[in-house]
Amino acid sequence: DFLSKSFPSFSIAVGTREYSDKDFAGKIVFVNFWFADCPPCMAEMEALNELFRRFEANKSFAMVSFTFEPPKKIILIKKKYHICYNIYSISQDACYRLNNNNAFPTSIIIGRNGLVSYIHSGDDLDQSEIKKYFETKLYPFIERALH
């Protein structure tokens, strides 16, 4: 029931800058939700980083990650997994509101029109299976959306 619906609006203050859903208008946006004590969340970190690297040069693509982890924990996770995309700390309630009460990890793709076009909650721990899923499902979906 979340597919083809508008992604919920959000606004996040990071230092002196404020980010909101308006910053991503007209783009294909890949959104990921995770937390540190979630083994499947951590298992897909490498694949998420590869996804970001694959599409980051495309100006019509954006990637954002939400977690309820505190900023210090985010810094540790970013270092450990060499993450180069933005991760925002929001409340646990906000995570559930934005991911439509799905489990963790959840990945959502928002179309240029602001509507949810893809949603997947992962639970795999096998990195080769995760990589295969990204290569056979997510990459083609994003590539089609960008063209």
Side-chain angles (χ1 to χ4, degrees):
D1 64 325
F2 198 41
L3 282 174
S4 301
K5 300 275 195 291
S6 292
F7 188 75
S9 61
F10 65 89
S11 181
I12 306 155
V14 180
T16 59
R17 174 109 165 67
E18 186 144 326
Y19 296 91
S20 77
D21 51 302
K22 310 282 185 274
D23 291 307
F24 305 109
K27 295 184 179 209
I28 303 301
V29 185
F30 183 88
V31 185
N32 181 258
F33 297 87
W34 62 274
F35 66 97
D37 289 334
C38 163
C41 297
M42 297 299 98
E44 70 178 25
M45 286 295 178
E46 185 178 317
L48 289 167
N49 223 17
E50 288 176 24
L51 182 142
F52 176 74
R53 284 193 203 105
R54 181 175 180 131
F55 295 105
E56 71 177 315
N58 190 316
K59 299 295 181 212
S60 295
F61 176 79
M63 182 168 167
V64 64
S65 181
F66 291 111
T67 183
F68 50 81
E69 297 292 355
K72 286 182 180 179
K73 178 77 100 174
I74 292 171
I75 291 166
L76 294 174
I77 297 289
K78 284 186 86 165
K79 278 184 185 174
K80 180 176 181 178
Y81 294 99
H82 310 288
I83 295 171
C84 41
Y85 52 87
N86 291 325
I87 299 174
Y88 300 104
S89 178
I90 60 177
S91 72
Q92 191 168 356
D93 287 346
C95 279
Y96 280 112
R97 181 180 71 83
L98 294 176
N99 83 359
N100 199 43
N101 292 311
N102 279 286
F104 291 83
T106 290
S107 293
I108 296 171
I109 298 174
I110 305 165
R112 294 178 201 275
N113 56 5
L115 302 180
V116 173
S117 59
Y118 187 96
I119 186 164
H120 175 77
S121 292
D123 60 359
D124 208 320
L125 295 173
D126 182 329
Q127 290 195 340
S128 63
E129 287 298 313
I130 293 168
K131 184 175 180 165
K132 182 174 150 187
Y133 176 79
F134 275 57
E135 290 173 352
T136 61
K137 303 283 191 227
L138 286 178
Y139 291 175
F141 190 93
I142 293 169
E143 286 164 356
R144 280 192 304 276
L146 287 169
H147 289 74

